[in-house]
Amino acid sequence: MDRLDSKQLYDMWTELGMEVKLHDKLLENSEKLHKRNYLWQTNRPIAMKLFDTALHDSHGQRVAEIVDYRNAGGKSIGTFCIYVPDEIAMAADVLNIPLCGGTGFTVDYADKVLPRDICPLVRSTFGMAISGTCPYKTLKDFVLGETTCDAKKKTWDLFGIRSLEVPQKKNPVDKALWLGEVKSFMAQLEDLSGVKVTAENLREAIKKQNRKRSILNSISAFRKLENPPISGLDALLISQVALNMDIDAFILAGEMLLKELEERTDKSISAYSAPGVRVLMAGTPSPMGYAKIHAAAEMSGLRVVMDESCTGLRYSRGNVPEDLQTVEEMVVAIADRYFDIDCACFSPNSERMENVRAVIEEFNVEGVIHNILQYCHGFNVEAGAQDSIFSEINVPSLKIVSDYSQEDMEQIKLRLEAFGGIVENTRGDR
Ligand code: SF4
Ligand code: SF4
């Protein structure tokens, strides 16, 4: 569709019932943070412009596309977690719109209804809905939560939101429960759209979602190089917008970027202008709008060579087999793929320990940053368990617990600079 001009955008937001003046301020704040966090980098791939635009469009042009889609009878749902099986939604012809908030701008609004001492991700998301600054508020047929952490579960209850039951353990009984949930999700979406999930449309959806994940993983593979042609910050931006962009547009942009990364590698063009310690960012997600810790790390001379969060490897790890024949076989394989996600809401979560250890080796990681959103007890406590593994292999770690405010940025930078020095001094011990 044609790009909307500012008058058309204003009209669209007004028709969507948004608080347009407040929303303008939110956009101003987002653009300022985008400039500060991303645009200081001097050697970005040219194709990153596509992802900068996608970030910018997430409150404008992308919204217009979804308005058009719904006006033509298309169905959509709003969700908050990477456990929601995208393949099923796509096969049932329902658009899944992930709604996790990454802006600190709306947190205060949520504080009118939610306790202040819960995770900023939940407060930001609901602050957007409550303050009239979420353009997707009216663009969905229903919202689907999930039973992962307590902050989310109780917030869904407060707002009367139905939840997908994600078990908390990984025993056979839990796996059977999860498969039942995935099947009931499928039935619910078939009812909504009137489109039956068949072996054909599900296989196509599996292939497309696999392609999207493979692109993300191929981009990550370039970060294994001694001099990565793409920064950790830009890789984060790509993961963030991957959740919002139209999937075909994302695949196209991703393929263009991959081509450029190959060329940059051939010409030894690095994203970094100086040598730096290789770190893994581990822990909670950094949804679109939040890049404080990644920016602080790379501004402090560290190289974020992998991110194991839900806006990183936890989202892209593992594809669904494409050679299955029946809907039942495919649904089981999809349920298995999502059940393998290693969120800290699981008890125990030994898979995550193994996964992180493997990433450290694969990406030649020298230090780990536990990036923990304030009040996320699962990832915060789990950081301690991980540290005992890191000390066995002499990989130093640093825990940063923070929120979406910007006040602690300079202090975090100082801690990260000092951490870089510690890692350099312990290089000989590994
Ligand atoms: S951290 Fe856990 S609950 Fe949050 S998005 Fe990731 S998988 Fe879902
Ligand atoms: S970051 Fe932690 S507390 Fe926040 S929504 Fe995700 S799992 Fe829950």
Side-chain angles (χ1 to χ4, degrees):
M1 68 180 291
D2 293 339
R3 285 193 75 79
L4 267 53
D5 61 26
S6 50
K7 164 82 173 69
Q8 289 168 316
L9 285 172
Y10 177 89
D11 290 344
M12 177 182 75
W13 291 324
T14 308
E15 278 167 33
L16 290 173
M18 295 172 63
E19 293 292 334
V20 181
K21 284 211 172 103
L22 189 64
H23 183 244
D24 281 349
K25 284 192 189 148
L26 181 149
L27 292 185
E28 214 176 281
N29 181 268
S30 305
E31 293 295 325
K32 200 171 87 192
L33 286 180
H34 178 57
K35 253 188 213 150
R36 186 200 71 183
N37 288 336
Y38 292 99
L39 303 186
W40 61 274
Q41 301 176 92
T42 50
N43 204 7
R44 303 175 81 205
I46 294 164
M48 280 312 298
K49 284 209 167 56
L50 298 168
F51 300 97
D52 290 333
T53 304
L55 177 75
H56 177 82
D57 283 352
S58 63
H59 277 237
Q61 193 66 23
R62 179 66 182 138
V63 180
E65 287 170 14
I66 296 175
V67 169
D68 256 24
Y69 164 81
R70 286 183 59 83
N71 285 344
K75 301 293 181 191
S76 52
I77 57 169
T79 60
F80 306 91
C81 181
I82 60 165
Y83 277 101
V84 178
D86 283 318
E87 293 81 353
I88 305 266
M90 180 173 264
D93 208 10
V94 174
L95 180 68
N96 175 21
I97 311 175
L99 294 171
C100 285
T103 173
F105 187 83
T106 54
V107 163
D108 288 349
Y109 293 88
D111 292 349
K112 291 176 188 150
V113 224
L114 295 171
R116 296 175 77 90
D117 44 2
I118 63 167
C119 153
L121 189 156
V122 174
R123 286 154 76 206
S124 169
T125 307
F126 279 87
M128 283 180 85
I130 290 165
S131 63
T133 55
C134 177
Y136 301 102
K137 190 174 176 186
T138 54
L139 293 180
K140 49 205 183 292
D141 291 280
F142 63 86
V143 177
L144 185 70
E146 79 302 321
T147 57
T148 43
C149 66
D150 289 348
K152 283 179 157 186
K153 272 189 289 199
K154 291 294 111 187
T155 306
W156 311 146
D157 288 351
L158 189 66
F159 289 90
I161 292 171
R162 179 192 178 264
S163 281
L164 197 61
E165 182 162 0
V166 177
Q168 310 279 286
K169 294 176 84 70
K170 291 198 172 174
N171 294 323
V173 64
D174 306 297
K175 200 168 180 173
L177 183 154
W178 173 240
L179 178 60
E181 281 296 282
V182 171
K183 285 182 175 173
S184 102
F185 173 64
M186 183 164 94
Q188 200 180 8
L189 296 196
E190 285 176 328
D191 272 357
L192 174 65
S193 64
V195 174
K196 185 97 191 119
V197 173
T198 64
E200 287 69 37
N201 61 24
L202 192 50
R203 193 176 299 111
E204 282 316 299
I206 288 172
K207 283 185 185 164
K208 197 165 269 191
Q209 296 295 341
N210 281 350
R211 181 73 195 124
K212 180 182 184 181
R213 287 187 286 258
S214 299
I215 285 177
L216 287 165
N217 291 329
S218 301
I219 293 169
S220 294
F222 282 98
R223 298 160 74 192
K224 292 179 193 170
L225 298 173
E226 194 184 338
N227 284 308
I230 182 161
S231 67
L233 256 173
D234 280 342
L236 172 69
L237 179 62
I238 293 163
S239 293
Q240 290 174 332
V241 299
L243 294 164
N244 178 265
M245 274 173 98
D246 166 72
I247 189 164
D248 292 316
F250 176 81
I251 289 172
L252 209 61
E255 282 168 349
M256 283 173 75
L257 175 68
L258 282 172
K259 202 163 166 283
E260 188 182 350
L261 294 181
E262 270 164 33
E263 288 162 9
R264 283 165 71 94
T265 304
D266 288 347
K267 293 178 189 159
S268 305
I269 300 175
S270 171
Y272 300 99
S273 50
V277 162
R278 298 173 66 87
V279 296
L280 168 70
M281 198 64 82
T284 48
S286 299
M288 198 154 53
Y290 184 64
K292 182 171 71 180
I293 311 301
H294 291 71
E298 297 212 320
M299 284 172 182
S300 308
L302 306 178
R303 294 176 171 191
V304 179
V305 292
M306 190 24 100
D307 183 331
E308 69 93 41
S309 78
C310 300
T311 38
L313 193 52
R314 196 168 298 122
Y315 175 68
S316 62
R317 178 189 284 122
N319 272 343
V320 180
E322 296 180 6
D323 56 354
L324 303 172
Q325 298 308 312
T326 65
V327 171
E328 176 67 17
E329 285 172 338
M330 292 181 215
V331 171
V332 169
I334 290 167
D336 285 353
R337 187 257 162 207
Y338 285 83
F339 196 63
D340 280 347
I341 294 173
D342 57 358
C343 177
C345 67
F346 277 92
S347 161
N349 194 20
S350 42
E351 271 165 308
R352 181 165 177 240
M353 309 297 155
E354 286 153 26
N355 287 337
V356 169
R357 197 173 176 145
V359 172
I360 288 175
E361 273 167 36
E362 209 182 328
F363 285 80
N364 198 15
V365 167
E366 299 177 285
V368 177
I369 298 167
H370 298 290
N371 175 14
I372 312 289
L373 284 174
Q374 202 177 28
Y375 307 120
C376 179
H377 306 311
F379 282 98
N380 196 350
V381 174
E382 217 165 82
Q386 291 199 321
D387 279 348
S388 52
I389 294 174
F390 301 153
S391 59
E392 274 170 29
I393 51 175
N394 289 323
V395 172
S397 66
L398 174 72
K399 183 160 81 177
I400 296 180
V401 179
S402 190
D403 59 15
Y404 288 174
S405 67
Q406 298 301 316
E407 285 77 31
D408 54 356
M409 176 88 171
E410 292 309 313
Q411 187 212 12
I412 290 171
K413 273 168 47 185
L414 286 176
R415 290 181 64 201
L416 287 164
E417 271 167 34
F419 178 65
I422 291 169
V423 177
E424 275 175 355
N425 288 337
T426 55
R427 266 182 181 149
D429 303 339
R430 283 189 293 278

